Amino acid sequence: MNILSFKTAKPIRAALALGLAAALPASAILAPAPVEAAAGDLDKAVAALRGISTMKADFVQTDRSGQSVGGVMTLKRPGKIRFEYEKGVPLLVVSNGKSMYMVDYEVNQVQRWPIKNSPLGALLDPSRDVKAYGKLLPSNHDDVVSIAVRDPKRPEFGAITLIFARDASAPGGLRLTHWVALDAQNHRTTVRLRNQRYGVSVADSAFTFRDPRRSSRRPG
């Protein structure tokens, strides 16, 4: 994978602010799944997400122009997630369970927004988003389950598609392999996971950050 300089990585920043997304063909997003399949696999996907107490994974994020950057993702229920980018990319995305923060150490800025306003809300709160707004997508492989999540009443929140592989060793029998997020401006970004580790010890301090602003304020 190409190690991006920060200047090259800047186009990725907009996608980060709107949900750390991943891309699927538009035709796949719009095609409905059979009702019988949706009922069973949607429940299984929700159970799989609820079954993750903690997880660490390596990730590769690819923007709509094909540029990629990697790092380590750490997740902890309820609602906590951290994306630590590789050396040379002075960005950090972290949620403390209430709000999502994007920290830009290059320009000493911090952006904040409620978790529910991000497509990642479907990953961080599966009981609310996946069950209420999820739809099973058709797949050419029996061992792949894809769930599209979108709130039709709040299109400005964007959408996310979660892709799982059937895996008996993963929580709920489904392993989250990647996701797709589409923001309100139709910008897509792909986040692919590998080396998933479940049930690892993660301290709550992992979901804090060094505030680069001159103010002494810290996230609440």
Side-chain angles (χ1 to χ4, degrees), residues 45 48-49 143-147 162-166 174-177:
L49 290 173
D143 60 346
V144 174
V145 175
S146 299
I147 305 295
L162 304 169
I163 297 90
F164 302 83
R166 300 188 194 278
L174 293 175
R175 172 171 43 88
L176 181 64
T177 61

Side-chain angles (χ1 to χ4, degrees), residues 13-162:
R13 190 187 301 178
L16 280 171
L18 290 160
L20 283 162
L24 286 181
S27 59
I29 292 177
L30 296 176
V35 174
E36 295 80 10
D41 278 339
L42 184 58
D43 286 341
K44 290 178 182 177
V46 172
L49 290 173
R50 288 178 179 174
I52 300 173
S53 57
T54 62
M55 180 176 73
K56 282 193 173 185
D58 301 327
F59 74 87
V60 175
Q61 178 182 333
T62 306
D63 71 2
R64 59 179 177 163
S65 66
Q67 296 176 329
S68 296
V69 64
V72 176
M73 183 197 79
T74 304
L75 183 148
K76 183 176 184 178
R77 299 269 179 236
K80 298 181 177 68
I81 198 165
R82 180 184 183 96
F83 293 89
E84 185 86 37
Y85 286 84
E86 62 194 29
K87 186 178 180 180
V89 182
L91 294 173
L92 174 68
V93 175
V94 61
S95 165
N96 62 8
K98 297 178 181 178
S99 299
M100 191 84 69
Y101 297 86
M102 185 177 70
V103 187
D104 188 334
Y105 289 107
E106 179 74 6
V107 295
N108 296 332
Q109 290 182 350
V110 178
Q111 291 179 273
R112 172 187 174 276
W113 62 99
I115 292 173
K116 65 180 181 180
N117 290 11
S118 165
L120 278 179
L123 177 60
L124 298 175
D125 187 0
S127 61
R128 184 193 69 217
D129 295 308
V130 177
K131 193 65 177 176
Y133 308 117
K135 180 179 70 174
L136 189 71
L137 299 179
S139 173
N140 295 326
H141 302 282
D142 291 339
D143 60 346
V144 174
V145 175
S146 299
I147 305 295
V149 184
R150 180 194 299 268
D151 184 348
K153 295 181 179 179
R154 304 302 297 268
E156 69 273 18
F157 291 176
I160 190 169
T161 299
L162 304 169

